[in-house]
Amino acid sequence: MRIVFFGAPGSGKGTQAAILKSTFGIPHISTGDLLRGHVARCTELGRKAKAVMEAGQLVSDDLVLGMLEDRLAEADAKPGFILDGYPRNLVQADALGALLARIGQPLDIVIKLNVPHDAILERCAKRFAEQGRKDDDPEVVRGRLAVYSEQTAPVAAYYSRTGQLVEIDGVGELASVTARILAAVESAA
Ligand code: ADP
């Protein structure tokens, strides 16, 4: 099963993907987590990405694609994966399509979690207080939502055209949202 989780920052992609990876026995691949790992290890990529991430902007397409390609080549991703945080613009959507065609692993479903922006601002403010992620600072979150609306939201229309997009209401109890996602994945399988 090859799934993309799609939605605004703070829409719950990471949380839901972490729950579902054990259900499906496939890895949760978050480009945000991978990038934060590079920053923490002070790799060359991490040094290039750090300031861009803290400002809430997108890291360059080439760097993220190379990182993703390496990750998808690992053995645990052979049976499938849950991709979270990629693609984030139309260039990345095209690049992903080409990459997955090349490795013979086309996507099964793109799940978009819909959460209103005022609820997102609240969630990120809470995460900022709990985890101190610099890009969860309320000012930066506003900027990330603008980046999402301008660059990432058009990706939904792209997958709507390919017939792979399923929209899920991301508001409510965590378990209810998980149940909605499971139902969508089952009907796509
Ligand atoms: P959230 O799920 O809250 O949006 P992420 O952990 O997915 O946060 O991403 C954090 C940051 O990592 C982004 O704001 C961006 O700077 C960088 N990033 C993650 N994925 C990508 C990507 N596909 N392309 C470019 N930058 C990315």
Side-chain angles (χ1 to χ4, degrees):
M1 183 57 73
R2 290 173 294 272
I3 306 171
V4 163
F5 268 11
F6 186 82
S11 59
K13 304 181 297 283
T15 307
Q16 292 295 337
I19 296 172
L20 290 175
K21 70 173 185 175
S22 42
T23 308
F24 296 116
I26 51 179
H28 166 206
I29 300 179
S30 155
T31 48
D33 286 348
L34 290 174
L35 287 168
R36 278 186 288 277
H38 278 275
V39 172
R41 298 193 306 279
C42 291
T43 65
E44 193 189 343
L45 169 56
R47 275 183 276 116
K48 287 181 182 153
K50 186 169 190 276
V52 182
M53 292 175 72
E54 287 178 357
Q57 300 297 313
L58 297 187
V59 176
S60 91
D61 292 333
D62 289 351
L63 293 180
V64 182
L65 180 64
M67 178 184 77
L68 179 65
E69 195 164 356
D70 290 346
R71 180 63 187 86
L72 289 178
E74 288 178 35
D76 65 338
K78 289 284 171 280
F81 49 79
I82 303 173
L83 196 52
D84 153 20
Y86 197 97
R88 252 181 161 89
N89 59 31
L90 290 171
V91 170
Q92 294 185 4
D94 276 334
L96 180 66
L99 168 60
L100 295 181
R102 197 160 70 241
I103 62 177
Q105 297 207 335
L107 287 177
D108 294 299
I109 185 170
V110 176
I111 292 171
K112 177 171 183 279
L113 289 178
N114 289 330
V115 177
H117 285 193
D118 52 347
I120 284 178
L121 286 166
E122 262 176 48
R123 288 182 185 185
C124 289
K126 187 162 168 268
R127 192 164 69 178
F128 186 54
E130 287 166 2
Q131 299 175 14
R133 244 175 75 175
K134 287 205 174 72
D135 62 349
D136 280 336
D137 180 293
E139 272 314 299
V140 180
V141 172
R142 268 181 249 282
R144 288 165 71 203
L145 286 173
V147 169
Y148 175 79
S149 301
E150 286 157 21
Q151 302 190 44
T152 311
V155 176
Y158 175 101
Y159 287 119
S160 175
R161 282 195 297 276
T162 64
Q164 288 160 302
L165 187 76
V166 176
E167 300 202 44
I168 302 278
D169 178 6
V171 179
E173 294 287 325
L174 215 60
S176 320
V177 178
T178 309
R180 284 174 213 147
I181 295 172
L182 278 174
V185 172
E186 271 156 26
S187 57

